[in-house]
Amino acid sequence: MPGVIVALCAGLPARIALPIAPGVSTAIIVVAAIAADAVGMGWNLWPVAIITIVCAAGCWWMRRIVSRVVDAGAIASRVRRRQASSSTRTTPRRGWWLAGGLLGVFLTGWHMIAQIGRPDNFAQSFDNMFHLNAVRWILDHSNGSSLTMSMTSGDGPTSFYPLAWHDVISLALKTANSADVAAGTNAMVLVISSVVWVLGCFYLIRMLGRATVPGVVAVGVLVCAFPTFPYLSTSYGVLYPNTLGMTLLPAMVALTYQIFLDPRAPKLRSTIPVALLAGFGMVLAGGVIASKQHSRSAGV
């Protein structure tokens, strides 16, 4: 995924690159779709690959510059103070984190599969008719630009609508050489709920909490235990773009804390561009912007 490449080039370790990658990938895909339409390219993997290379090179260059500017001695001193303050604290081994994460993925995925039913099922709601048709419109016109979405405008002027959700699904379907929009949507729901959400929650707990082995296992259960999210927003409404934005939020909060409040922050200052990309992707995923624009297009 594009976000993993960019995060690794910025110097993030794999345990951080994985949960933050979906937000970065979302931003890259949306920007690639806009750029592809602007230069007359079709919507496929090539624009995404080009933007990924540009972002990865920029993050790598920033990492090199910051490593020369920031005082390495100050970094080492702060790390030693952090290690001294936490020398009496025991944390679960990596295997327990992995086990808790897999438990959360399994339980959330199991509930979500039970909610979805068949892969070709789809929610029969007004909002979902728009989302499914938007993905179909992108596939038919090979245009995923959020600036020129004219599916509901007819001959009138187009307005900005964040197509992050639809761009990701349409790109996945194109890559898989499939046109099953309903199945692609359900696959997206399953992945963001059972993988992206769980990874972000575990990253946030690791940064903010003093986890114990029972606590890590409990997190694996709790991430799937609340009906409000992620189940309600994907069954009532349905609020797909909002759901994508919310699943990206825990990792964004964790990375922001680690950059600005963690005693080891100087080592991560070079990753500020990654945080900006992830935040940009979270905003473009939907949230308030998508809700307002959708209401406006519906005449509300």
Side-chain angles (χ1 to χ4, degrees), residues 139-220:
L139 292 174
D140 291 342
H141 293 80
S142 193
N143 179 10
S145 175
S146 298
L147 302 179
T148 58
M149 178 63 170
S150 61
M151 184 184 72
T152 58
S153 61
D155 296 330
T158 60
S159 60
F160 174 79
Y161 183 89
L163 290 173
W165 172 268
H166 317 85
D167 285 342
V168 174
I169 296 175
S170 60
L171 184 64
L173 290 173
K174 273 182 169 287
T175 305
N177 195 26
S178 172
D180 194 337
V181 176
T185 297
N186 288 331
M188 180 78 166
V189 170
L190 183 61
V191 169
I192 66 169
S193 301
S194 61
V195 179
V196 176
W197 170 249
V198 173
L199 280 174
C201 288
F202 270 84
Y203 177 31
L204 181 61
I205 292 298
R206 190 179 181 92
M207 287 297 101
L208 301 182
R210 296 191 175 186
T212 60
V213 171
V216 170
V217 176
V219 171

Side-chain angles (χ1 to χ4, degrees), residues 209-292:
R210 296 191 175 186
T212 60
V213 171
V216 170
V217 176
V219 171
V221 176
L222 290 175
V223 290
C224 73
F226 298 96
T228 303
F229 193 85
Y231 310 112
L232 182 61
S233 60
T234 56
S235 60
Y236 179 80
V238 288
L239 307 176
Y240 288 148
N242 304 69
T243 303
L244 177 58
M246 288 296 293
T247 57
L248 300 176
L249 182 60
M252 187 65 219
V253 172
L255 182 61
T256 303
Y257 169 82
Q258 193 166 9
I259 291 175
F260 294 105
L261 299 177
D262 196 307
R264 295 168 293 183
K267 291 198 300 183
L268 289 175
R269 290 292 166 84
S270 62
T271 64
I272 290 179
V274 175
L276 293 176
L277 279 173
F280 185 56
M282 184 181 67
V283 171
L284 289 178
V288 176
I289 296 177
S291 297
K292 288 183 177 180

Side-chain angles (χ1 to χ4, degrees), residues 106-116 224 231:
F106 171 75
L107 292 177
T108 309
W110 180 56
H111 285 295
M112 193 58 68
I113 290 173
Q115 174 179 295
I116 293 172
C224 73
Y231 310 112

